[in-house]
């Protein structure tokens, strides 16, 4: 199939990614100035959610409406996918009716299989392996607050999970160094690490990872689907809580990001999101703008000028 998909940051060139996040900032400014911009009139996005979501659902749904189109929320409970219709069949049918499909699922292979049989762009709204849309928002947020991330140092603290894997890909695509501090046994996927080579360093000590870093970020200790590991993880991850004192080890103008939802008192201290170095609310808002840029790029590329 010839459609362009966004299953990973590696589906775009570094130039396209920078252009997407710049465009996100432009679309944000249009919206703030009250300018109507509806390049996706009559276009429909299908959104398949096999896991819970607040930000991803809202940002895609609101984004499509703001661009003049519409979005349809599909839960497996209410579609034949939940009753065993093969993914390939669902992809063939859905992609004849929709202009793009966003999927939040467990196995990343579900996304790959859907995309292989889809006539229209497929977007990864989070899988067990990756969360590339969140990285668009994160990179847009860094750019808006601090300028280019090229050559900077980023510290990932905690679980080597889907977000961490996407940071590993971002390090390659946006050209920064990444230090991952995680407990033994919770390292990121070795295939992602191998592809990143010496751009990524895995450490045990969070202070070592944060020392001199320009961006610090973390995520929940147990991701969706790992609910029965929570007690064990909480014991092991305690030394990986990010607090103000840890951020003090970074550069003075460090930025702290959290993809949210946050568990205050677990991966971050109670007060961290109130610290002036934390910009998680801007980051969450940028999901909307960055994904509008992505939708425009995939569905109506003629309008994408950034
Ligand atoms: N950060 C993020 O993807 O949030 P949701 O799970 O609420 O979509
Ligand atoms: N790692 C988290 C991210 C949620 C946005 C999860 O997969 O649940």
């Amino acid at each position: 199939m010839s459609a362009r998909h966004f299953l990973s940051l590696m589906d775009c060139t570094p130039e396209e990614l920078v252009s997407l996040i710049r465009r996100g900032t432009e679309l944000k400014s249009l919206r703030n100035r009250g300018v109507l911009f509806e390049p996706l009139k009559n276009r429909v996005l299908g959104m398949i959610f096999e896991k819970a979501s607040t930000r991803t659902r809202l940002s895609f749904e609101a984004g499509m409406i703001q661009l003049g189109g519409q979005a349809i929320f599909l839960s497996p409970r209410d579609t034949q996918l939940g009753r065993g219709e093969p993914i390939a069949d669902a992809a063939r049918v859905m992609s004849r009716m929709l202009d793009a499909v966003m999927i939040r699922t467990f196995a990343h292979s579900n996304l790959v299989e859907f995309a292989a049989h889809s006539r229209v762009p497929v977007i990864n709204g989070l899988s067990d392996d990756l969360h590339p849309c969140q990285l668009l928002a994160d990179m847009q947020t860094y750019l808006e607050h601090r300028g280019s991330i090229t050559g900077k140092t980023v510290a990932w603290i905690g679980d080597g999970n889907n977000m961490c894997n996407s940071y590993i890909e971002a390090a390659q695509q946006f050209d920064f160094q990444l230090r991952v501090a995680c407990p033994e046994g919770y390292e990121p996927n070795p295939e992602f690490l191998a592809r990143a080579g010496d751009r990524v360093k895995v450490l045990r000590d969070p202070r070592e990872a944060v020392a001199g870093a320009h961006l610090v970020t973390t995520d929940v200790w147990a991701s969706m689907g790992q609910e029965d590991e929570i007690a064990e993880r909480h014991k092991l991850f305690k030394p990986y809580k990010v607090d103000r004192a840890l951020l003090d080890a970074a550069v003075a103008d460090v930025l702290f990001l959290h993809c949210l939802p946050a568990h205050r008192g677990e991966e971050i201290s109670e007060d961290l999101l109130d610290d002036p170095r934390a910009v998680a609310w801007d980051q969450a808002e940028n999901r909307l703008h960055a994904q509008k840029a992505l939708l425009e790029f995939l569905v109506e590329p003629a309008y994408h000028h950034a």
Side-chain angles (χ1 to χ4, degrees):
M1 298 279 167
S2 59
R4 188 91 197 254
H5 304 297
F6 187 70
L7 307 189
S8 135
L9 291 179
M10 297 319 206
D11 289 334
C12 288
T13 64
E15 295 72 29
E16 285 171 337
L17 290 171
V18 169
S19 143
L20 275 174
I21 62 172
R22 287 209 186 114
R23 183 65 175 156
T25 301
E26 277 177 18
L27 294 178
K28 182 179 191 169
S29 156
L30 285 185
R31 179 164 156 74
N32 289 344
R33 287 184 279 128
V35 180
L36 272 191
F37 177 62
E38 300 186 323
L40 301 193
K41 227 177 171 57
N42 263 320
R43 304 296 200 149
V44 183
L45 171 74
M47 306 187 299
I48 301 171
F49 279 96
E50 293 184 342
K51 293 175 175 172
S53 168
T54 297
R55 281 145 287 270
T56 305
R57 176 177 176 181
L58 263 178
S59 51
F60 271 110
E61 195 160 336
M64 277 306 288
I65 295 168
Q66 289 165 18
L67 292 169
Q70 293 206 40
I72 300 175
F73 174 80
L74 300 156
S75 95
R77 217 171 11 154
D78 311 315
T79 61
Q80 300 290 3
L81 268 174
R83 297 181 59 250
E85 182 167 17
I87 291 173
D89 292 359
R92 289 183 182 106
V93 173
M94 288 184 184
S95 71
R96 285 175 181 234
M97 301 182 189
L98 299 166
D99 297 287
V101 182
M102 187 242 81
I103 305 176
R104 171 167 283 197
T105 188
F106 291 87
H108 190 77
S109 57
N110 293 339
L111 271 158
V112 174
E113 191 177 355
F114 196 104
H117 298 91
S118 172
R119 289 181 169 186
V120 300
V122 176
I123 298 170
N124 180 359
L126 181 145
S127 67
D128 287 348
D129 287 0
L130 291 167
H131 195 5
C133 289
Q134 182 68 52
L135 262 291
L136 292 181
D138 288 22
M139 293 297 101
Q140 185 182 329
T141 307
Y142 190 87
L143 183 69
E144 289 174 354
H145 283 271
R146 297 285 184 266
S148 172
I149 200 160
T150 302
K152 299 280 197 286
T153 298
V154 176
W156 172 273
I157 310 299
D159 191 19
N161 63 13
N162 45 8
M163 275 296 298
C164 182
N165 291 336
S166 277
Y167 262 94
I168 292 172
E169 294 196 335
Q172 298 161 77
Q173 297 289 67
F174 289 91
D175 197 11
F176 58 80
Q177 292 296 320
L178 180 67
R179 299 185 194 137
V180 176
C182 62
E184 209 178 328
Y186 293 87
E187 294 82 7
N189 183 322
E191 287 170 28
F192 288 97
L193 282 176
R195 279 196 292 272
D198 58 10
R199 282 206 167 274
V200 182
K201 221 185 203 175
V202 178
L203 306 162
R204 293 285 165 248
D205 178 6
R207 285 194 81 78
E208 193 185 342
V210 167
H214 302 90
L215 167 61
V216 176
T217 186
T218 187
D219 188 11
V220 291
W221 290 341
S223 287
M224 290 180 276
Q226 297 171 334
E227 287 74 13
D228 52 0
E229 298 174 30
I230 286 178
E232 173 71 4
R233 283 171 171 265
H234 279 203
K235 272 186 258 156
L236 284 164
F237 280 87
K238 266 206 167 56
Y240 294 86
K241 178 188 286 189
V242 182
D243 58 15
R244 286 177 156 155
L246 185 64
L247 286 192
D248 290 344
V251 296
D253 66 345
V254 65
L255 219 54
F256 175 74
L257 297 178
H258 191 309
C259 66
L260 306 176
H263 293 175
R264 289 174 179 80
E266 294 176 17
E267 78 276 2
I268 54 166
S269 57
E270 295 285 347
D271 57 1
L272 196 65
L273 295 185
D274 305 318
D275 189 283
R277 295 169 289 188
V279 291
W281 314 125
D282 291 345
Q283 178 190 4
E285 179 189 329
N286 280 340
R287 292 293 304 277
L288 173 67
H289 311 299
Q291 286 160 203
K292 282 168 74 175
L294 177 67
L295 288 163
E296 179 193 42
F297 173 72
L298 292 174
V299 179
E300 209 58 78
Y303 282 89
H304 184 86
H305 297 303

